Amino acid sequence: MTMAQASSPPVLTPHKITRSYSEQVAELRAIKDKCIGHLQNKEEWVEKGILGSILQALQGSAPSHVRTEEDSVRLLCLELLASISGGGPQFLNPLHVVDVVPTVLSYISLAHQNSPRVVLTALRIIRNMTEATSAALPGHDDLNRLADAIFRPEHLESFHAILTQPSTDSVIQEQKRLVLSSIARLCNKEEHQNVLADSGVLDALATILASFIVARGEVIPGAEMVAETDGLADMIPAPAPRGASLALTLEAISAIICNSKFRCCMFVLSPAILAVLPLIDFTPASAEPRPPGAGGAAGKSHGAMDYLLPLMPGSQSRSSSQVAQLPPSSLSRNASSNRRSQTYKFTGFDPASEDSDADNPESPVVPWLLNLVRKTSGLERVAAASVLTSLFKANLTRLDREQELAYLLVPILCNLIRDHMKEIPPSIYTTTFIDSDTEKDWAILEKTPEVLARLVGGSEILQKSAHECGVIKTTAKLLKDAYELLASPLIPSPWTAFPRQSMVSEGSPPSCQLGPPGPVPLYIHRIRMRYSALTLVAGMCSSREDYRKELASQELVPFIVESLAVRPGKPQDRKGKSASKKEGKDGAERLAYGQNPTSVILAACHALRCLGRSVSILRTTFLDHDVWQPVYKLMKHPDLEVQIAACSVVINLLASSSPMVEPLLQAGISKILCEQAHSHEPGLRLNAVWALKHLILEVNNSRKKQLLEELEPGWLIQLISDDTSEEGAPYTRPRRSTDADEDEDMDAETTEEEEPHLWTWRGMDGNPRRINSPRMQKAKEKLEMLRKADLNPARKARNDMIAIQEQALGFIQNFIMNPNTPQDQTELVDYLFSELGENRLFGILANKLKVRVVGAFGRKYSKGRDTLALYPQAKIIMAITFILVHIAASIPRHRQLVIAQTELLKLLGGNLDNESVDVRRGLCHLFENLSVLEDDEDRQPCAQRASELAKLGVLSKLEGLETNDADLYVRERAKAAVAQFKTPAMA
């Protein structure tokens, strides 16, 4: 874009707009005309103090019903602010100084009789400031500050009003697009996601999405009748008008529902979605038989949306005459007359999942989104995949859908990345503006890897599909390309025949002082690609060792290491860095690689943590690149979130046989970890104790005692016995927990002092038919249950507490295990008892194994109120068991101490039928150790131990496990323990 030539200094005095409204209108219009498209004029007017005068005019009296000259002044002020805010990151500082955001937000309210143009202009200012903040250098890129100001209840009411306007006018559609864009770009904190869901904005977005379903002719046949029955007929929207953005709608929905089952359910149970995509039986017009296992009473029923998807590999092929047709719906406007649909057969279908799916039927929006991914392109495809990924990660898809996603979704995303990895011409390297096609290509390339990473993370099936698509090599190229040199990252000053001298002096107010200019678009793109590629690295190496090794073989670790630095240098190994420092190139090179924002540093930490699960990578690649050094520096980072992430990497760096234990010890890691173990932040406390658990295993007895002293024995006792939040924890079904059971389905009840319904689902909306509809009542109950489980702070506190207790108990276990000699074992056990207190330790362990019965939030209730049974977690039982296993592996005196703990052993014996196989294995190991005969002098004590365990019923239970347990290892361990009981043998 060519800048207009600078004119002579203006004669207007914007710092004193005190004349008549007509004069102000003329003056502001002249200023606006000079500023639009001319960066230097914008800078000059800001330095003259125009912003203060504009804000003064905007903060005047409220607009009237009839447009006046005063309203014209406001509109011109807003338009001038829109022009200035669109000038780039250098204008952010003065705009924030005059507190422009709250003032502008007051003009988006429809309730204040603001004209559509005023609302639109105000929204453009917010959009411009969002884009400028996103493009700013680290230190000036705080989007959360902007989000905190915008996502407040009073402003979200305005957002809701804008999104629910029925008008198809182009100005209104542009307003909606700007609101959608703001949500998509700014909503990334849980508190913002929750307030957007509760304010009705999520339901409004779901209604807009439903209008696209109507416009595409994909309303499920029979939806009208079902909607009429449930009182949802008025929720079926008109078709989406021209100008409406499907991509932005999906992006905004994805931003809100991400990482929350409750919010995902709010979306799929939104009245408009239920109205157009009801869960009803569907028979295709051709009455075609379904594939084996896909229909009938014994199989899974497939809804209408599933018939839009192709047959899966392994299912029977059909001729075109056998393809089922969706019957027309009166709501299916502009539907394609030749649209074909096919059913499919899932080759890996698990009949055991039938009951689970029947209890929680999948919403038809899932196959609709999958079909949308297949049928659309560009950003619409990416956004649809993102929403679908959130539903999949929230377990709202059928259990057999995972394999289908591997066949249909993963390859599309992998191809989308490759198709947009285009060579960047040199002309773009320093350009200030890029064309719309390039901008779209970059946006797709920035977003798709992150969506793919979320999708495949934790799923070996999906990771295998991505691997077969060659995603590892693609990821390596993405990250390496993101570190290509840029000669000049910052936007160059525009050429002008009349160079402008800054008007700012030492005494100029902050509102007149411009900030640093922003970088060129290519720089911004590359920084975003660093983040996106790093998330995909973590996603692909979260499960399988061979994928970790393949990623490491792509020589990615130097690039990940440089991503830990705010000012990265050239990615290279240890020798290359030493050579660069000797030649004096290191400092100069770092300027050319830009600055990494916090998001990139966090993504790099996550990638290293996942790669660090490989012992071979720890011993070779990580050591070759001195990974521990930058990670250690981040342990002292001022940002708490970065400290937590860095500490998560240290956990693996201190793992067994890691060559980085000694250098980290010499650097002082133990002191930092002990300090962080005292942190008030649960995440940091957890990671620090976890790292200490690994570290304590790798050091000698003297170092172990020193570490315990640094951590403080009293604090360790508090960590393993801190049940303060347990009474307030939310639970429902009284059941024994296993490793896979982490209270996902448990909810809370309200106290007598609380109102019975603190949260009201807007979906009911007082409609009598909806209130009396069984389907809507079920939806309401499900949402209320999930909301309590998702948002209850006591539940979150208890989950944090259990995780910390598990690691703290593991610290004790590792403290007394892996000694060089039996004498060391004895010494450590005795030292532990002397520091923690023998009776106190055993008492705490026994207390943690008891089933606790409390009322909701631990309060006493009047007769008739339900009580809640709190069962010990399997991982806590295991941790306690293995502490005792190692104590019992010491000398007879220690075994006698354990056998004297009658209550503790009785509680443990009660878990010999625990659902967790690991618990049963551990207990067999414990009772086998307790029955070991040390020497001839131990015969009588050994017999006494066997007798005590028999009295507790342990022997009979072990005999039952010996013959009846499903696990071979448990049967063998039980057999050995029973034999030891009956005929003690020397160890």
Side-chain angles (χ1 to χ4, degrees):
M1 180 177 178
T2 304
M3 293 294 180
Q5 183 175 339
S7 61
S8 58
V11 296
L12 301 173
T13 53
H15 53 285
K16 286 189 177 181
I17 303 180
T18 56
R19 297 179 295 283
S20 66
Y21 287 127
S22 60
E23 289 177 315
Q24 290 182 34
V25 167
E27 187 173 25
L28 287 166
R29 186 171 286 120
I31 298 172
K32 187 186 79 168
D33 291 344
K34 288 180 178 292
C35 287
I36 291 178
H38 200 301
L39 183 61
Q40 286 187 316
N41 280 354
K42 293 176 186 178
E43 294 175 345
E44 184 173 348
W45 283 105
V46 169
E47 290 176 352
K48 284 185 173 183
I50 186 71
L51 293 179
S53 300
I54 291 175
L55 267 291
Q56 183 181 356
L58 288 174
Q59 292 167 352
S61 57
S64 59
H65 291 279
V66 181
R67 183 170 178 178
T68 64
E69 288 183 331
E70 186 178 1
D71 296 329
S72 298
V73 168
R74 291 194 185 91
L75 179 58
L76 284 165
C77 285
L78 289 170
E79 290 175 342
L80 188 51
L81 277 180
S83 177
I84 293 172
S85 61
Q90 63 265 42
F91 294 99
L92 287 173
N93 284 352
L95 286 169
H96 283 305
V97 166
V98 298
D99 215 12
V100 73
V101 175
T103 302
V104 169
L105 285 171
S106 67
Y107 282 88
I108 69 171
S109 173
L110 302 182
H112 292 164
Q113 293 87 40
N114 290 311
S115 69
R117 280 191 64 191
V118 166
V119 174
L120 180 60
T121 308
L123 289 170
R124 282 176 177 160
I125 296 169
I126 299 301
R127 186 268 316 274
N128 291 346
M129 293 191 68
T130 301
E131 291 182 351
T133 306
S134 300
L137 295 172
H140 305 273
D141 58 344
D142 189 2
L143 282 173
N144 287 331
R145 175 182 180 182
L146 198 55
D148 290 339
I150 293 172
F151 297 139
R152 294 183 178 180
E154 61 270 24
H155 304 317
L156 293 182
E157 288 180 12
S158 301
F159 274 21
H160 183 269
I162 291 169
L163 293 173
T164 53
Q165 293 177 96
S167 173
T168 59
D169 180 75
S170 61
V171 172
I172 303 302
Q173 294 307 311
E174 180 64 16
Q175 288 179 6
K176 292 184 179 182
R177 282 196 296 272
L178 291 171
V179 169
L180 294 172
S181 177
S182 295
I183 295 171
R185 297 287 291 274
L186 294 173
C187 181
N188 54 24
K189 288 172 62 177
E190 186 180 17
E191 61 187 271
H192 298 151
Q193 292 170 318
N194 289 331
V195 73
L196 280 161
D198 284 349
S199 65
V201 170
L202 180 57
D203 279 340
L205 296 175
T207 302
I208 295 174
L209 186 64
S211 72
F212 284 101
I213 297 174
V214 174
R216 292 172 59 88
E218 293 170 345
V219 176
I220 288 181
E224 282 179 302
M225 292 184 291
V226 176
E228 188 68 34
T229 302
D230 291 329
L232 295 173
D234 60 323
M235 294 307 301
I236 299 177
R242 290 183 179 180
S245 174
L246 176 57
L248 282 176
T249 302
L250 290 165
E251 285 180 14
I253 290 171
S254 178
I256 295 174
I257 69 175
C258 186
N259 299 326
S260 167
K261 186 170 186 176
F262 163 64
R263 294 190 298 271
C264 284
C265 279
M266 272 199 76
F267 164 61
V268 300
L269 296 177
S270 177
I273 297 296
L274 290 175
V276 297
L277 297 177
L279 190 66
I280 55 178
D281 291 333
F282 173 76
T283 303
S286 64
E288 173 196 0
R290 297 179 181 180
K300 288 183 180 300
S301 61
H302 284 62
M305 288 298 116
D306 286 295
Y307 283 83
L308 296 175
L309 300 174
L311 285 163
M312 295 293 291
S315 58
Q316 298 175 355
S317 61
R318 298 179 295 180
S319 65
S320 58
S321 62
Q322 292 177 305
V323 176
Q325 297 285 342
L326 277 178
S329 166
S330 60
L331 298 166
S332 299
R333 302 168 172 88
N334 302 320
S336 172
S337 60
N338 64 348
R339 176 178 288 118
R340 294 180 176 180
S341 58
Q342 296 176 320
T343 187
Y344 61 86
K345 173 188 174 184
F346 173 60
T347 54
F349 171 64
D350 179 11
S353 66
E354 189 171 298
D355 292 340
S356 176
D357 284 350
D359 294 338
N360 299 286
E362 178 189 82
S363 168
V365 78
V366 171
W368 181 82
L369 284 166
L370 184 53
N371 183 61
L372 188 67
V373 173
R374 296 178 59 249
K375 298 298 185 184
T376 55
S377 61
L379 289 171
E380 288 183 355
R381 171 172 280 180
V382 179
S386 182
V387 176
L388 180 56
T389 296
S390 291
L391 300 184
F392 171 70
K393 302 304 279 190
N395 295 321
L396 296 181
T397 60
R398 285 203 318 257
L399 296 181
D400 62 352
R401 192 69 76 180
E402 184 177 23
Q403 188 71 53
E404 190 177 30
L405 296 178
Y407 278 115
L408 298 180
L409 181 57
V410 172
I412 288 176
L413 294 177
C414 292
N415 290 334
L416 200 59
I417 296 172
R418 280 196 298 269
D419 291 345
H420 290 83
M421 291 172 63
K422 300 176 181 177
E423 193 70 28
I424 297 175
S427 59
I428 292 183
Y429 277 47
T430 57
T431 187
T432 306
F433 301 98
I434 56 174
D435 60 88
S436 59
D437 288 340
T438 301
E439 184 178 10
K440 183 179 178 182
D441 286 343
W442 286 2
I444 293 170
L445 198 56
E446 290 161 7
K447 295 175 181 179
T448 308
E450 191 272 334
V451 174
L452 181 60
R454 279 200 299 128
L455 178 66
V456 304
S459 168
E460 287 196 26
I461 291 174
L462 298 181
Q463 286 174 26
K464 183 174 183 291
S465 175
H467 181 263
E468 290 173 351
C469 293
V471 78
I472 287 182
K473 288 185 178 179
T474 302
T475 304
K477 181 169 173 52
L478 289 175
L479 187 54
K480 290 176 181 178
D481 288 350
Y483 271 95
E484 286 190 2
L485 277 172
L486 266 180
S488 178
L490 296 180
I491 293 176
S493 301
W495 180 89
T496 175
F498 305 96
R500 187 183 71 83
Q501 297 297 321
S502 174
M503 303 176 66
V504 177
S505 62
E506 188 175 338
S508 297
S511 61
C512 300
Q513 299 178 24
L514 296 169
V520 294
L522 180 57
Y523 171 90
I524 300 167
H525 170 62
R526 285 187 173 165
I527 294 295
R528 291 172 180 169
M529 285 311 306
R530 291 177 191 177
Y531 169 78
S532 198
L534 287 165
T535 60
L536 191 48
V537 169
M540 282 303 298
C541 65
S542 59
S543 302
R544 292 184 51 164
E545 174 73 3
D546 51 339
Y547 295 168
R548 295 186 194 113
K549 290 181 178 179
E550 189 173 343
L551 280 161
S553 71
Q554 296 292 318
E555 299 180 349
L556 286 180
V557 172
F559 295 87
I560 301 175
V561 169
E562 289 303 328
S563 298
L564 296 172
V566 174
R567 288 192 174 275
K570 181 180 179 180
Q572 51 193 335
D573 59 17
R574 184 192 304 171
K575 292 181 180 178
K577 287 185 178 180
S578 299
S580 294
K581 287 182 179 178
K582 287 180 181 179
E583 295 173 13
K585 294 180 179 179
D586 189 55
E589 283 182 346
R590 288 185 181 275
L591 296 176
Y593 289 99
Q595 297 182 54
N596 286 323
T598 302
S599 59
V600 170
I601 296 173
L602 294 174
C605 286
H606 189 40
L608 285 177
R609 181 180 188 180
C610 293
L611 284 171
R613 292 170 184 165
S614 168
V615 175
S616 64
I617 292 176
L618 277 175
R619 292 177 176 177
T620 56
T621 313
F622 277 20
L623 185 62
D624 291 342
H625 294 89
D626 289 331
V627 167
W628 69 271
Q629 291 185 355
V631 173
Y632 178 79
K633 290 178 182 177
L634 292 179
M635 294 286 286
K636 304 174 184 178
H637 196 280
D639 190 315
L640 184 61
E641 200 173 356
V642 173
Q643 288 183 38
I644 294 172
C647 196
S648 73
V649 182
V650 170
I651 290 171
N652 288 336
L653 299 185
L654 294 176
S656 179
S657 302
S658 168
M660 284 164 280
V661 173
E662 194 55 40
L664 279 167
L665 275 172
Q666 291 177 3
I669 192 66
S670 60
K671 181 179 180 182
I672 294 176
L673 289 174
C674 289
E675 289 174 354
Q676 292 180 342
H678 287 72
S679 170
H680 293 293
E681 170 56 43
L684 185 58
R685 190 162 70 250
L686 168 64
N687 285 350
V689 176
W690 197 337
L692 285 169
K693 181 188 79 171
H694 284 179
L695 179 60
I696 201 75
L697 188 62
E698 298 300 309
V699 296
N700 57 33
N701 280 16
S702 175
R703 207 66 173 273
K704 286 185 182 224
K705 294 175 183 178
Q706 184 182 343
L707 270 174
L708 179 59
E709 185 179 342
E710 269 190 286
L711 180 60
E712 298 175 12
W715 182 247
L716 180 59
I717 284 290
Q718 188 171 333
L719 288 175
I720 65 173
S721 61
D722 184 10
D723 293 337
T724 54
S725 61
E726 200 159 38
E727 294 286 347
Y731 292 88
T732 49
R733 293 191 290 273
R735 57 182 181 177
R736 229 176 264 279
S737 300
T738 65
D739 281 341
D741 175 11
E742 296 185 4
D743 303 331
E744 290 300 326
D745 298 319
M746 297 181 178
D747 66 334
E749 296 184 6
T750 55
T751 65
E752 290 183 346
E753 291 81 1
E754 291 179 307
E755 297 177 19
H757 297 289
L758 294 179
W759 176 77
T760 303
W761 182 37
R762 294 196 178 200
M764 300 304 275
D765 202 27
N767 185 307
R769 284 193 177 182
R770 291 185 208 174
I771 293 173
N772 296 323
S773 164
R775 187 163 71 121
M776 295 300 290
Q777 279 293 334
K778 187 176 180 180
K780 176 176 176 288
E781 290 168 4
K782 182 174 183 178
L783 286 175
E784 287 180 341
M785 180 191 73
L786 285 173
R787 187 176 191 277
K788 292 172 184 176
D790 214 24
L791 303 182
N792 189 284
R795 178 180 182 274
K796 292 181 179 181
R798 180 178 182 272
N799 286 341
D800 290 336
M801 176 200 66
I802 290 173
I804 293 169
Q805 285 182 3
E806 180 190 4
Q807 300 307 321
L809 290 167
F811 176 89
I812 294 174
Q813 173 192 333
N814 287 356
F815 180 85
I816 58 177
M817 75 174 289
N818 199 28
N820 296 321
T821 63
Q823 291 78 11
D824 287 341
Q825 176 95 2
T826 303
E827 178 190 353
L828 289 171
V829 174
D830 287 337
Y831 185 82
L832 182 74
F833 286 156
S834 68
E835 292 297 310
L836 302 187
E838 174 187 315
N839 294 331
R840 181 166 63 163
L841 176 61
F842 284 132
I844 291 171
L845 298 184
N847 189 54
K848 304 206 72 59
L849 294 172
K850 294 177 182 176
V851 178
R852 307 177 65 183
V853 180
V854 298
F857 291 96
R859 303 193 183 191
K860 294 182 180 180
Y861 281 80
S862 57
K863 187 176 180 180
R865 293 298 298 263
D866 292 335
T867 56
L868 305 174
L870 313 184
Y871 286 86
Q873 295 274 325
K875 49 196 171 187
I876 298 297
I877 301 172
M878 286 173 57
I880 292 171
T881 299
F882 280 102
I883 289 174
L884 299 178
V885 164
H886 293 299
I887 294 176
S890 181
I891 57 177
R893 175 167 56 86
H894 289 155
R895 285 192 280 277
Q896 289 301 116
L897 283 174
V898 174
I899 208 70
Q901 311 303 316
T902 304
E903 182 185 27
L904 177 58
L905 293 176
K906 185 176 181 180
L907 290 166
L908 285 171
N911 280 282
L912 278 168
D913 60 350
N914 194 283
E915 294 175 6
S916 169
V917 66
D918 291 325
V919 168
R920 301 197 304 275
R921 289 177 178 181
L923 289 173
C924 288
H925 195 168
L926 169 63
F927 295 127
E928 185 181 359
N929 279 6
L930 286 173
S931 58
V932 163
L933 176 63
E934 183 79 12
D935 49 33
D936 287 336
E937 293 182 3
D938 190 37
R939 287 191 181 278
Q940 184 176 352
C942 182
Q944 183 258 335
R945 292 196 298 271
S947 174
E948 289 296 326
L949 291 174
K951 290 178 184 177
L952 294 174
V954 169
L955 180 59
S956 60
K957 288 185 178 181
L958 286 172
E959 289 173 335
L961 292 179
E962 180 184 359
T963 56
N964 300 324
D965 200 275
D967 184 71
L968 176 61
Y969 184 90
V970 171
R971 294 199 302 272
E972 292 299 319
R973 275 287 185 185
K975 181 179 179 180
V978 170
Q980 193 84 322
F981 268 104
K982 295 180 177 178
T983 310
M986 290 191 185

